[in-house]
Amino acid sequence: MMKGNKDTVAVIGAGPAGCTLACLLAMRGIQVVVFDDDKRPDLLVGESLVPSVIPVLRALGIEERVKAFSVRKPGASFFHGSGTRVDLKFQKRGKKNPGYAYNVPRPQFDDLLRERAGELGVKFVDARAKVQRSNNPRREIELCDKSLALAGLSPCAHPSMLVDASGRSRLFARTLELDVDRGGRNDVSYFAHYENFVHDEVDPGQIIISVLDHGWSWRIPLKGKLSVGIVIDKDAAKDLGRNLGERLDNAIKREPLLREKGKDAKRVSEVMTYSKYQRITKRGCGEGWVMLGDAFGFVDPMLSPGLFMALESAYLLDKWVFSQGVSGSRIKSVEKYCAELLSWHQAWQELIDYFYDGRILRMHEAGKLLSKDKGLLNPARLMERHLTRVIQSMASGVATRSAYNRRLLKESSKYLIWDVPEAQFYAVK
């Protein structure tokens, strides 16, 4: 029996968000129990990290262990069928934000976070948690008696806080019938791992995002293989084939930017699919409960913000809610956490929209024209280099929410562009 439910935080879900929070709480000496049904597919979206994840890995003491099974990622490149190409290299910004990230095999990464939580004394319950609406006016939702018993918790009291880290299952939202805000796209992705898929156009470890005739694709280098995925409108995907394998294979064969690169490739994993992007809960907390990671919201796989947001949400929840312990009502603290997490989602979505609607590639082409004069003091050249650094810092997660950066992108996309095609020419269709 644990020492007292009122001193316990129950986390439902042992993915990256749940295990990161569990580690942070354990490091504070807070008693935490994590429910884990251990039902995870071999392939998951989110194999590419951004540099702002590294400080969290260091805080957990696992960066070197992540490095051992991962590929160092120096940046991202964006290709367009017209020949336009943008190479973004991450830049080191102080001691906390290195100029690199990692591409990670998700099973090993997720298992490492769970292992680290166990090392810190976190208790795991190998079962799916069951929750129900509560009759207690001080809480909306609670663990059912069976789940309490499995965790060794008293049925006479409930944990001080329930954290929904159930990911796309969105356990609390479904139980409480909460709605979500949905983005404007209707995309679905198909992805798998390949050997002999050409990826020599960029520096080792660099990921490639290609704007295709229909949708877009990613190529993420992992050790000994390449993760290849396509993202396409759900209705258009039906014309690619009857099953997942046909759809991914046909998409690669039909797209000029992928066809030659993948003609000798061998698929070495099953094909997985992922849909329902751009979903953010309209209410992520209440008295005694809060949502975390994908359960709160998921922006889009473009620019790879998913794992960063999972780990960042755990960091923010720890900072806002648990830094002062677990006693008393924390509704104001969880509301502040939700507000900051929502601002992160909004900033990422805003930046991702610049890539989807073609404005980033258009600004890049305009900048190339403006900076043809190679003089070091050419104002246009200086501006182009500054704007590139701004985009790099935003895509790295370091300055995604910077008011200056966001305003600069907005104004530049309006007033510093001429003699190049309209943004729609570069947009993801």
Side-chain angles (χ1 to χ4, degrees):
M1 183 73 67
M2 302 183 85
K3 66 180 182 180
N5 296 13
K6 67 179 181 178
D7 302 316
T8 301
V9 175
V11 179
I12 299 173
C19 284
T20 298
L21 177 65
C23 289
L24 295 172
L25 297 186
M27 291 165 72
R28 289 190 183 277
I30 295 174
Q31 190 164 261
V32 56
V33 58
V34 179
F35 288 86
D36 178 22
D37 63 6
D38 199 28
K39 293 182 179 179
R40 289 184 287 273
D42 292 333
L43 294 183
L44 288 167
V45 168
E47 296 167 310
S48 192
L49 307 183
V50 296
S52 285
V53 167
I54 304 301
V56 181
L57 300 183
R58 290 174 178 173
L60 300 181
I62 61 171
E63 186 190 355
E64 289 304 310
R65 292 157 75 175
V66 171
K67 179 181 178 181
F69 56 68
S70 303
V71 171
R72 192 178 188 275
K73 172 186 173 182
S77 293
F78 300 83
F79 290 8
H80 187 269
S82 65
T84 293
R85 169 175 168 172
V86 180
D87 295 303
L88 297 180
K89 297 292 185 180
F90 297 136
Q91 302 294 319
K92 180 178 175 61
R93 292 182 55 141
K95 294 182 179 180
K96 291 185 177 181
N97 295 289
Y100 65 87
Y102 295 107
N103 300 320
V104 300
R106 279 297 300 275
Q108 290 96 318
F109 184 79
D110 290 15
D111 288 346
L112 175 57
L113 286 171
R114 192 188 194 283
E115 179 182 338
R116 182 58 178 148
E119 293 169 356
L120 292 169
V122 172
K123 177 176 179 178
F124 284 86
V125 178
D126 297 326
R128 182 186 294 270
K130 293 185 178 180
V131 298
Q132 60 194 16
R133 288 177 179 267
S134 175
N135 293 321
N136 188 323
R138 295 184 178 181
R139 58 176 178 266
E140 294 176 89
I141 197 167
E142 62 189 17
L143 290 171
C144 71
D145 289 345
K146 183 177 180 180
S147 292
L148 287 169
L150 287 172
L153 298 170
S154 169
C156 299
H158 286 263
S160 63
M161 177 70 76
L162 293 181
V163 180
D164 183 359
S166 63
R168 289 165 53 79
S169 296
R170 302 177 62 249
L171 179 60
F172 290 9
R174 288 188 293 105
T175 302
L176 297 174
E177 299 179 317
L178 303 177
D179 202 358
V180 297
D181 284 320
R182 294 172 173 83
R185 301 191 65 86
N186 184 38
D187 291 338
V188 60
S189 68
Y190 304 99
F191 58 103
H193 290 168
Y194 290 82
E195 292 178 348
N196 301 322
F197 206 112
V198 175
H199 193 74
D200 60 2
E201 309 99 316
V202 293
D203 293 339
Q206 188 101 340
I207 71 167
I208 295 176
I209 295 174
S210 300
V211 178
L212 307 175
D213 290 343
H214 300 284
W216 64 276
S217 72
W218 73 71
R219 279 184 273 164
I220 301 172
L222 301 170
K223 284 195 172 181
K225 54 195 173 184
L226 194 73
S227 174
V228 180
I230 61 120
V231 179
I232 190 171
D233 180 82
K234 191 178 288 187
D235 294 331
K238 298 175 183 177
D239 296 331
L240 291 173
R242 296 168 296 176
N243 56 54
L244 304 185
E246 285 184 1
R247 291 180 179 183
L248 181 55
D249 290 344
N250 287 331
I252 292 171
K253 292 175 183 177
R254 294 180 186 182
E255 293 289 350
L257 288 177
L258 298 177
R259 186 187 306 124
E260 289 301 310
K261 309 302 180 183
K263 66 178 182 179
D264 297 321
K266 177 184 177 183
R267 179 153 50 85
V268 294
S269 76
E270 62 180 324
V271 178
M272 298 294 291
T273 185
Y274 193 92
S275 60
K276 298 180 181 178
Y277 303 141
Q278 301 183 353
R279 295 163 62 92
I280 299 175
T281 185
K282 288 187 176 180
R283 183 164 70 97
C285 66
E287 189 69 68
W289 67 270
V290 66
M291 295 179 188
L292 186 69
D294 285 2
F296 182 96
F298 184 86
V299 180
D300 197 279
M302 176 78 78
L303 301 185
S304 307
L307 269 179
F308 167 72
M309 289 305 300
L311 273 61
E312 181 69 10
S313 66
Y315 167 78
L316 291 175
L317 188 58
D318 174 63
K319 181 186 79 169
W320 281 111
V321 180
F322 296 107
S323 59
Q324 303 301 318
V326 297
S327 61
S329 173
R330 287 160 295 181
I331 188 63
K332 291 184 178 180
S333 296
V334 293
E335 287 174 348
K336 290 178 180 178
Y337 152 78
C338 287
E340 184 166 356
L341 188 57
L342 180 60
S343 77
W344 266 111
H345 281 289
Q346 291 171 337
W348 274 113
Q349 187 62 66
E350 184 178 298
L351 179 61
I352 287 168
D353 286 343
Y354 278 91
F355 284 89
Y356 267 118
D357 63 23
R359 284 177 292 171
I360 287 290
L361 294 180
R362 188 176 189 235
M363 280 190 283
H364 173 76
E365 286 299 290
K368 283 170 52 179
L369 289 175
L370 289 172
S371 61
K372 280 186 176 180
D373 181 352
K374 301 300 182 181
L376 293 177
L377 298 180
N378 174 16
R381 181 174 175 80
L382 293 174
M383 185 61 192
E384 189 270 337
R385 293 177 63 183
H386 176 61
L387 189 58
T388 297
R389 286 194 293 268
V390 163
I391 295 171
Q392 289 168 344
S393 68
M394 295 178 76
S396 71
V398 174
T400 314
R401 294 194 298 163
S402 163
Y404 168 78
N405 289 351
R406 294 164 77 176
R407 182 62 180 267
L408 179 65
L409 279 191
K410 182 178 180 180
E411 298 302 317
S412 298
S413 66
K414 286 183 178 180
Y415 303 116
L416 295 181
I417 297 179
W418 53 84
D419 296 332
V420 292
E422 293 297 321
Q424 182 62 27
F425 176 78
Y426 303 102
V428 177
K429 301 177 177 63

